[in-house]
Amino acid sequence: MTAIVFDRVGKQFGNFTALQEISFTVEQGDFFALLGPNGAGKTTLISILGGLTRASSGSTTVMGFDVQRDYRAARRAVGIVPQELVFDPFFTVRETLRFQSGYFGIRNNDDWIDEILAHIGLTEKADTNMRKLSGGMKRRVMVAQALVHRPPVIVLDEPTAGVDVELRQSLWAFVRSLNADGHTIVLTTHYLEEAEMLCNRIAMLKQGRLLALEDKDKLMSRGASRHLLIKTASTGLPAALQPLLASQSEEGFELRLADCNQLESILVELRQAGVGLKDIEITKPDLEEIFVEMMNQ
Amino acid sequence: MQGFYTLFYKEMLRFWKVSFQTVAAPVLTALLYQLIFAHSIGQHVEPYPGVSYSAFLIPGLAMMSMLQNSFANTSSSLIQSKITGNIVFLLLPPLSHMEFFLAYTLAAVVRGFVVGVGVIVVTLLFAVPPFAHPLWMLVFGLLGCGVMGILGLIAGIWAEKFDQLAGFQNFIIMPLTFLSGVFYSIHSLPPFWQNVSHFNPVFYMIDGFRYACFGVGDVAPWLSFGVVGVTFLLLSALTLHLLRSGYKLRR
Ligand SMILES: Nc1ncnc2c1ncn2[C@@H]1O[C@H](COP(=O)(O)OP(=O)(O)O)[C@@H](O)[C@H]1O
Ligand SMILES: [Mg+2]
């Protein structure tokens, strides 16, 4: 079964169009990245998925349940971590998680709550008031809140914004293990290397339109100019190689390769010109470059 | 059902954790009213034959405090959740509209009752009403607090800022409660204002509750019951409709 189906989803705020006929699916088991610059409509799309916002047109289903008609089943199937950092200052971490379990109809959820707390490193803080947690800790409680009902689909809207590196890593390790256990994961992030590292499929959104939707590997090979970084013993670059020069810095020369087979002829040129090599490195294009390229189209 | 129960419990815990403000403060306020009004007016009037002004004031003050606090419970909880944004944690789960409605309203009724009992207990120092019809007391307490809890829900859903809520409170709730015969029998008013009072549902809540206490009132208890009951049903229907439509909560 398909985990999420967006079918021609549109959203107007007054006469502003936030989303335009968005259609795509997320398969079960996917680790899916939703990318796009600020204001692209990522949060709006996720809000429609969670029933926080109503689409102006089109339909959305989660695990086969329509988010409008079958809202109760749809909401049980998905756990959403909202983008904004919010909390209820009246309660402790454990109270917060117990209440959230209760809203999903679950009693006596403490075993699972303890397990989540251990995974996100908040066991010590279980009985601390939400007000007294740091921003990163509050963010982790929000992740826990989205997991109390063990949803098959988990959506994280920029979960690592403002979270320090160490924490980010432990969070991703946890989310990865959830994915390995069969949970479908959707995430939006500004850190493209995160999407590159974690996700298998990627959708790019810009101004409410879907620009790209592909397997990550395909997307990465598409924009595929590779870069070769060489450090030479002397300062010059043979004339024959000048057309390939992409940039030059203290690091050395950066050459753009259309494909890897060019490498051989480059080395030949260098040897013939008597230029000695101190270091050599080939870089793949990263998601960021592809992203920037697509957003500029 | 578990969803309803959890939200109901959370809403009660929310006011109970700050009971100094939510229970003790209104009880103290009522006590001051009782002291000042009973002392300054009390010697000169006897609103009903055989009922001292001190005693007369007790059910009115109790009911007024109950109504105001029921309204405050739902409206302040909702507006805070909306402004801080933590309302998403209620909008994401599969709570039904009815569960949402009942949990908020019942928690408001509970706060109203806790305050009401507090007010009655402290004012007993001044006079002891006969509590003629306890069942009617319960009925008017429940319906009155229910109506005001629901009004608080509507206000909380509608208001986007604290000052809008304050406006609702100052221009709708306060006039309705103060012009309802808490401090006087409406028979002591000029005919025009007597007529106006008859259009105020809060008047029937107070008068019904007072009838329950003394066995006498300005109008018959069944009339009060009818007016308050119909108000309750109409406001419930309106609120459930608002929740179903997602008005101001789900954009
Ligand atoms: N409630 C709203 N009213 C009006 N415009 C909105 C509302 N919510 C979002 N928008 C607009 O919709 C666009 C998409 O916003 P959003 O989904 O938050 O983008 P993203 O999450 O990709 O940064 C933005 O231009 C934003 O200003
Ligand atoms: Mg966003």
Side-chain angles (χ1 to χ4, degrees):
Chain A
M1 195 208 300
T2 307
I4 302 173
V5 180
F6 290 111
D7 185 18
R8 282 164 294 159
V9 173
K11 177 66 186 179
Q12 307 275 133
F13 290 109
N15 28 9
F16 174 75
T17 303
L19 292 174
Q20 217 163 18
E21 301 255 314
I22 301 289
S23 298
F24 66 88
T25 60
V26 177
E27 301 302 319
Q28 270 189 69
D30 269 355
F31 202 133
F32 192 97
L34 188 57
L35 304 179
N38 265 327
K42 305 180 296 293
T43 299
T44 304
L45 197 60
I46 287 171
S47 301
I48 288 170
L49 186 69
L52 296 175
T53 298
R54 291 182 178 180
S56 311
S57 58
S59 72
T60 304
T61 64
V62 188
M63 301 301 285
F65 302 111
D66 187 281
V67 298
Q68 289 285 332
R69 272 195 317 277
D70 239 342
Y71 73 95
R72 302 192 74 176
R75 287 185 204 162
R76 265 186 216 106
V78 62
I80 293 184
V81 185
Q83 178 178 354
E84 301 291 332
L85 191 62
V86 291
F87 61 99
D88 192 331
F90 275 87
F91 303 111
T92 67
V93 173
R94 185 176 295 284
E95 283 171 335
T96 299
L97 296 177
R98 279 185 181 157
F99 290 149
Q100 207 61 27
S101 307
Y103 300 153
F104 279 94
I106 304 164
R107 294 169 68 169
N108 309 325
N109 203 21
D110 276 354
D111 288 347
W112 176 233
I113 289 174
D114 285 331
E115 204 178 319
I116 305 173
L117 286 176
H119 274 291
I120 58 174
L122 281 182
T123 305
E124 312 272 273
K125 299 286 180 186
D127 297 311
T128 304
N129 187 287
M130 289 296 297
R131 246 178 327 203
K132 298 195 178 130
L133 301 184
S134 69
M137 291 175 183
K138 286 181 188 131
R139 173 75 64 187
R140 281 182 278 167
V141 175
M142 287 176 64
V143 174
Q145 280 176 276
L147 299 179
V148 288
H149 58 298
R150 304 174 195 250
V153 180
I154 300 164
V155 182
L156 305 110
D157 196 357
E158 310 210 14
T160 49
V163 171
D164 64 50
V165 179
E166 197 183 332
L167 220 82
R168 211 182 289 168
Q169 247 130 40
S170 66
L171 181 61
W172 288 138
F174 182 38
V175 174
R176 255 187 170 151
S177 74
L178 288 168
N179 184 234
D181 290 345
H183 292 270
T184 307
I185 313 280
V186 175
L187 84 99
T188 76
T189 175
H190 266 117
Y191 301 98
L192 292 168
E193 66 271 28
E194 284 181 349
E196 189 174 334
M197 179 181 73
L198 297 161
C199 299
N200 67 323
R201 291 186 78 223
I202 288 175
M204 286 193 190
L205 219 57
K206 182 187 176 187
Q207 290 178 346
R209 291 164 185 270
L210 191 64
L211 283 192
L213 170 72
E214 254 166 317
D215 285 349
K216 182 186 68 186
D217 300 336
K218 262 199 203 136
L219 190 69
M220 306 284 289
S221 65
R222 211 173 69 168
S225 61
R226 279 155 203 270
H227 285 210
L228 175 72
L229 193 67
I230 50 176
K231 250 188 190 158
T232 55
S234 63
T235 48
L237 189 69
L241 296 181
Q242 288 292 347
L244 298 179
L245 188 63
S247 70
Q248 186 175 356
S249 67
E250 285 154 30
E251 301 276 299
F253 302 99
E254 199 177 339
L255 307 181
R256 189 182 291 111
L257 305 189
D259 72 271
C260 290
N261 296 322
Q262 265 180 300
L263 194 58
E264 212 175 320
S265 59
I266 291 173
L267 292 175
V268 170
E269 290 287 348
L270 286 171
R271 183 153 17 92
Q272 282 175 356
V275 177
L277 272 179
K278 280 166 73 180
D279 197 6
I280 183 162
E281 187 187 339
I282 295 184
T283 60
K284 280 190 186 177
D286 64 7
L287 190 56
E288 185 141 1
E289 285 174 78
I290 294 164
F291 181 74
V292 170
E293 221 167 86
M294 301 223 49
M295 290 303 153
N296 288 334
Q297 276 169 13
Chain B
M1 206 47 212
Q2 185 62 27
F4 154 76
Y5 175 75
T6 306
L7 184 54
F8 171 53
Y9 176 71
K10 189 210 81 169
E11 281 301 299
M12 287 201 299
L13 202 59
R14 210 189 70 91
F15 81 78
W16 193 245
K17 280 196 176 194
V18 287
S19 55
F20 202 69
Q21 295 163 43
T22 55
V23 178
V27 170
L28 177 67
T29 307
L31 182 63
L32 292 174
Y33 274 126
Q34 176 79 31
L35 261 172
I36 292 162
F37 279 85
H39 192 75
S40 58
I41 304 174
Q43 280 85 356
H44 316 294
V45 287
E46 198 181 72
Y48 300 127
V51 175
S52 73
Y53 185 74
S54 263
F56 172 87
L57 203 48
I58 290 174
L61 274 180
M63 194 62 168
M64 182 177 80
S65 309
M66 292 163 78
L67 300 179
Q68 287 176 345
N69 280 278
S70 300
F71 177 85
N73 208 60
T74 38
S75 61
S76 68
S77 176
L78 256 179
I79 192 92
Q80 277 178 28
S81 290
K82 277 170 60 177
I83 286 181
T84 58
N86 63 42
I87 187 112
V88 289
F89 299 126
L90 292 178
L91 298 179
L92 288 172
L95 290 166
S96 70
H97 314 304
M98 190 54 118
E99 282 180 309
F100 191 95
F101 169 79
L102 285 179
Y104 270 100
T105 305
L106 274 183
V109 170
V110 170
R111 168 145 160 216
F113 271 60
V114 172
V115 170
V117 168
V119 171
I120 287 176
V121 167
V122 300
T123 48
L124 286 181
L125 297 169
F126 298 84
V128 181
F131 301 119
H133 304 288
L135 205 62
W136 272 126
M137 280 181 78
L138 196 67
V139 167
F140 283 108
L142 270 175
L143 283 178
C145 291
V147 165
M148 295 308 260
I150 295 168
L151 267 180
L153 259 178
I154 295 173
I157 292 170
W158 166 78
E160 280 155 23
K161 295 181 246 157
F162 282 110
D163 47 339
Q164 287 177 328
L165 184 60
F168 196 100
Q169 210 157 5
N170 292 331
F171 291 96
I172 298 177
I173 303 301
M174 289 300 269
L176 285 181
T177 42
F178 274 86
L179 299 177
S180 63
V182 172
F183 300 104
Y184 50 83
S185 157
I186 61 159
H187 288 311
S188 61
L189 291 177
F192 173 77
W193 289 106
Q194 275 193 40
N195 281 330
V196 170
S197 296
H198 282 117
F199 289 97
N200 177 2
V202 181
F203 158 75
Y204 296 94
M205 298 173 195
I206 305 270
D207 197 65
F209 197 66
R210 191 171 277 140
Y211 169 85
C213 277
F214 299 116
V216 273
D218 287 347
V219 297
W222 284 103
L223 173 62
S224 297
F225 174 72
V227 173
V228 180
V230 168
T231 308
F232 179 87
L233 291 178
L234 287 178
L235 288 177
S236 299
L238 170 65
T239 310
L240 282 166
H241 171 73
L242 291 180
L243 290 172
R244 206 172 297 117
S245 75
Y247 175 74
K248 294 237 183 173
L249 293 179
R250 301 179 197 272
R251 280 158 306 159

